[in-house]
Amino acid sequence: MLTDSGGYQIFSLPHSRSMSEAGAVFQSYLDGKTILLSPEMSIETQKAIGADIMMALDHCVAATADEATARAAMEITERWAQRSLAARGDSPQAIFGIVQGALSPELRRHSVERLAEMPFDGYAIGGLAVGETKCEREDLCEFTAPLLPADKPRYLMGVGTPLDILEAVHRGVDMFDCIMPTQLAQRGGVFTSRGFLQLRRGIYKFAEEKLDPGCACPTCARYSRAYLHHLTKSAETLGWQLLGAHNIYFYHQLMRQIRASIVADRFLEFYRSHRAFLDEPDLDNPIRLQKPKRRRPTALGHYAVHIAREGFASIRHVESGEIMHMRTPPMDEAQQLYVEQSRLAERLRSGDNAEHSKPLVIWDVGLGAAANAMAAIRCYEEQATLGPVRPMRILSFENDLDSLRLALLHSRLFPYLRHAGPPAIADGGAWQSKQFAGLSWQLLEGDFLEMIAAATAAPDAIFYDMFSSKVSADVWTLKAFEKLLTACGDKAAELFTYTCSTSVRVALLAAGFYVAQGRSIGAKVETTIAVTPAAFRSADGARHNFLSFDWIGRWNRSQAKFPAGLLPGQQLAFEQVIREHEQFQSG
Ligand SMILES: [Zn+2]
């Protein structure tokens, strides 16, 4: 057991100490009491502790101290060294003297000469590792060590890393002390035969290998890097202990090898082979200089991520500036406009009715960033956990998957996409729920009007969420809606769309749909619902707020009276079709 005299410890209390010939006066950090640490009291204390090696009390100054301060400290250290030796008396405990003199070779030489005349059992090079550079320390060590008696141990205080130790041995030092092996262990740092590892790194999370393949310490024998990583990350003191035990073992092993190489007269060879190696960082998992984080593109194809003033994200069509879900978060709008208006939850629940054991088919026209489809899927999943539901199939129509792909790159901004469905649709065009056999989703990629023919089931509900006629004119025409109604066959199908544009409504009417007002959503005062004749005549067909004959009057005054694509010569006939639509006959 080696004890220090307290000189260095007092040096590290710069605000509550004073030095005098008698000793160092400092304030107890426990009760504020003034304590005089004299050389005699220091030795008395070290004797009581039972140290094998005691240190004489020294006066430590910063390595960068000026010449006068360093000289005064060196001189007082000499006088204290004599008093310390005297205080030892006839104790069998060994005592070392401490060489001071800051960075001055002249002072160091003087200090060595004076101390060497005293009958110390060994000599320490003190006052290093206190603010000097590694180079300054090595130079001073190289200068001082050979001056010390060759037949007494030479001790470099407060040093260091394995490489520091190797360098100091090379310069003639025998002994070291340092907090490094245990202090680094507390922070997850370990010296190994594969370099210096920082176990906090995530790379060790699943590393089942030994901490150090070349080490025989108890930690390496028992614990994987992954377990030690876990202990370190969770600040378990067991982690410090295990890593500290390994580090100390590593230091001991290094010193054993150094001694063996000296005895075998092969130290220089050992020094050369270990000099580069001991300073290696993690060899197996090198730390790469972090590349600047690659930013995810905020635009893709015709689309860009848009952050609304309200803080939610949506997708913007770059050329038109049109934004999907302008004033309402995508999922809120999808929920209110499509899921609630179609009474999806209620229709899914009627699964015990024989007629309703057939799948409910949703045509999701304009997949976009998949908000509407995901709202329907969430609704299904919620209902299915509550009780029996009928199967549900979603057919999404989309000719450009870039908006979905862009949103998937930013799933932090589009949290509803954190689901197995959207990536499966983007990658393979189909998704089948693993949890619910009745839930499936299919993509029909291409222009909607052409893809209608590819649909394998007629719709019960249509979520009609295409960009406006400015961007995609052809899907809002009379022809488009005629084709859509034909695809519905004799099904009682309902279509929901965000627009309340008169020209769209008359196109739907002219195509044969029955048209009702949809609810107000966000900034939209009104939306639109269109149903097939079968739905209009069905039991709950009357639940919608169908446009009345009064609406015809407003239509007549409208600027956008006719749907896109209608030739002037067809307008009269078109007007008649609307007036004579069955919807307006009853009122
Ligand atoms: Zn080990």
Side-chain angles (χ1 to χ4, degrees):
M1 187 209 304
L2 186 149
T3 50
D4 199 0
S5 59
Y8 176 80
Q9 288 67 29
I10 288 161
F11 164 76
S12 47
L13 298 171
H15 299 299
S16 52
R17 64 172 159 98
S18 63
M19 294 293 178
S20 71
E21 193 61 36
V25 176
F26 67 97
Q27 231 82 54
S28 163
Y29 75 94
L30 290 175
D31 55 10
K33 240 190 247 165
T34 302
I35 296 174
L36 169 69
L37 182 74
S38 63
E40 293 76 17
M41 185 188 169
S42 171
I43 297 300
E44 211 52 51
T45 308
Q46 296 184 70
K47 277 181 178 176
I49 294 170
D52 299 301
I53 300 172
M54 305 184 289
M55 302 303 298
L57 187 64
D58 60 330
H59 186 182
C60 195
V61 291
T64 49
D66 61 71
E67 169 91 13
T69 310
R71 180 178 294 277
M74 181 206 73
E75 284 168 354
I76 208 166
T77 296
E78 281 169 26
R79 294 193 290 274
W80 285 359
Q82 252 148 1
R83 286 167 61 187
S84 297
L85 264 175
R88 173 174 64 163
D90 56 2
S91 165
Q93 290 160 285
I95 184 167
F96 283 21
I98 303 176
V99 174
Q100 289 290 350
L103 291 178
S104 155
E106 191 217 325
L107 292 181
R108 288 277 170 181
R109 179 189 293 280
H110 183 85
S111 182
V112 169
E113 281 167 1
R114 296 299 308 276
L115 288 172
E117 291 165 6
M118 304 178 202
F120 281 111
D121 301 297
Y123 295 90
I125 302 171
L128 287 185
V130 285
E132 77 285 356
T133 65
K134 182 178 159 70
C135 239
E136 285 170 334
R137 181 174 73 229
E138 282 174 2
D139 287 351
L140 199 91
C141 181
E142 189 165 345
F143 174 81
T144 311
L147 301 175
L148 290 164
D151 57 344
K152 300 269 175 76
R154 299 164 180 171
Y155 164 30
L156 182 57
M157 301 181 83
V159 172
T161 65
L163 182 62
D164 290 338
I165 287 176
L166 185 75
E167 294 289 0
V169 169
H170 185 48
R171 288 162 174 78
V173 177
D174 305 301
M175 286 173 58
F176 305 89
D177 81 285
C178 194
I179 58 167
M180 209 171 256
T182 44
Q183 187 189 52
L184 287 174
Q186 286 192 4
R187 301 169 186 164
V190 279
F191 297 98
T192 76
S193 61
R194 303 298 301 155
F196 181 77
L197 315 188
Q198 173 44 259
L199 279 175
R200 302 188 66 84
R201 293 177 66 201
I203 199 152
Y204 299 120
K205 196 167 184 177
F206 301 109
E208 284 305 323
E209 60 262 45
K210 283 168 69 162
L211 179 58
D212 181 355
C215 180
C217 85
T219 302
C220 289
R222 292 196 186 123
Y223 304 103
S224 66
R225 288 179 176 183
Y227 180 59
L228 296 164
H229 163 83
H230 156 72
L231 291 177
T232 302
K233 288 291 279 185
S234 45
E236 283 287 348
T237 48
L238 177 62
W240 307 354
Q241 291 166 9
L242 294 175
L243 298 183
H246 163 84
N247 277 347
I248 289 171
Y249 189 96
F250 184 88
Y251 272 64
H252 281 169
Q253 188 63 23
L254 175 67
M255 295 310 288
R256 268 194 290 274
Q257 290 171 339
I258 288 175
R259 282 195 300 274
S261 73
I262 292 171
V263 169
D265 203 15
R266 288 171 56 191
F267 175 75
L268 221 54
E269 203 179 302
F270 182 88
Y271 169 78
R272 288 196 185 110
S273 64
H274 279 66
R275 193 179 174 193
F277 157 77
L278 282 175
D279 210 22
E280 282 293 337
D282 199 333
L283 289 171
D284 300 324
N285 303 287
I287 297 170
R288 284 178 196 87
L289 278 182
Q290 216 161 14
K291 285 184 207 142
K293 232 186 194 170
R294 195 193 286 161
R295 291 181 60 120
R296 291 157 191 270
T298 52
L300 186 65
H302 298 289
Y303 306 98
V305 174
H306 172 82
I307 308 290
R309 250 178 296 145
E310 292 80 353
F312 62 85
S314 49
I315 298 290
R316 180 169 53 92
H317 184 259
V318 175
E319 284 84 352
S320 68
E322 216 164 290
I323 295 163
M324 302 178 181
H325 317 283
M326 174 85 151
R327 293 264 75 92
T328 319
M331 276 302 259
D332 289 4
E333 181 166 317
Q335 177 68 22
Q336 293 168 31
L337 179 50
Y338 300 109
V339 172
E340 287 173 13
Q341 287 206 110
S342 66
R343 297 186 307 160
L344 186 60
E346 193 184 318
R347 294 178 73 178
L348 288 169
R349 278 200 301 272
S350 51
D352 40 356
N353 182 321
E355 214 258 314
H356 284 146
S357 62
K358 283 184 265 168
L360 184 101
V361 179
I362 294 175
W363 279 22
D364 169 41
V365 184
L367 169 68
N372 304 335
M374 282 312 299
I377 285 171
R378 295 291 189 200
C379 174
Y380 182 96
E381 290 173 337
E382 198 178 302
Q383 293 305 316
T385 52
L386 297 174
V389 287
R390 59 191 285 204
M392 183 172 88
R393 287 183 60 189
I394 301 178
L395 303 183
S396 286
F397 296 82
E398 182 59 70
N399 64 355
D400 185 350
L401 285 175
D402 281 349
S403 54
L404 175 60
R405 292 197 178 110
L406 179 61
L408 280 169
L409 287 177
H410 297 273
S411 60
R412 197 173 53 80
L413 297 173
F414 299 88
Y416 65 86
L417 290 176
R418 294 181 193 149
H419 186 278
I425 289 294
D427 293 345
W431 175 73
Q432 164 65 54
S433 169
K434 286 200 172 74
Q435 197 181 355
F436 305 106
L439 177 59
S440 65
W441 185 8
Q442 192 196 341
L443 171 71
L444 295 165
E445 191 177 356
D447 286 333
F448 171 58
L449 297 176
E450 285 162 33
M451 294 314 292
I452 287 180
T456 49
D460 294 288
I462 302 162
F463 299 167
Y464 209 78
D465 196 10
M466 301 295 262
F467 277 111
S468 80
S469 52
K470 273 180 278 169
V471 180
S472 41
D474 58 337
V475 297
W476 300 101
T477 59
L478 171 59
K479 238 172 129 179
F481 292 131
E482 280 172 344
K483 212 165 175 180
L484 183 53
L485 185 65
T486 307
C488 293
D490 55 2
K491 256 192 164 175
E494 296 176 325
L495 176 149
F496 305 88
T497 188
Y498 62 87
T499 181
C500 62
S501 129
T502 306
S503 62
V504 168
R505 285 177 169 182
V506 288
L508 284 161
L509 285 166
F513 283 98
Y514 292 68
V515 177
Q517 290 176 356
R519 64 151 79 159
S520 155
I521 287 155
K524 300 181 185 84
V525 178
E526 222 175 83
T527 56
T528 298
I529 299 171
V531 306
T532 61
F536 184 72
R537 290 182 201 106
S538 74
D540 61 349
R543 71 190 168 94
H544 297 302
N545 187 14
F546 286 98
L547 304 178
S548 66
F549 197 75
D550 300 342
W551 182 84
I552 302 269
R554 272 195 279 146
W555 172 57
N556 273 328
R557 297 189 296 273
S558 165
Q559 298 293 315
K561 197 169 169 184
F562 299 106
L566 199 73
L567 302 172
Q570 300 170 314
Q571 289 178 353
L572 255 169
F574 183 85
E575 238 177 284
Q576 192 169 355
V577 167
I578 299 300
R579 281 175 195 288
E580 289 174 2
H581 193 288
E582 198 192 324
Q583 179 172 340
F584 304 113
Q585 303 315 309
S586 55

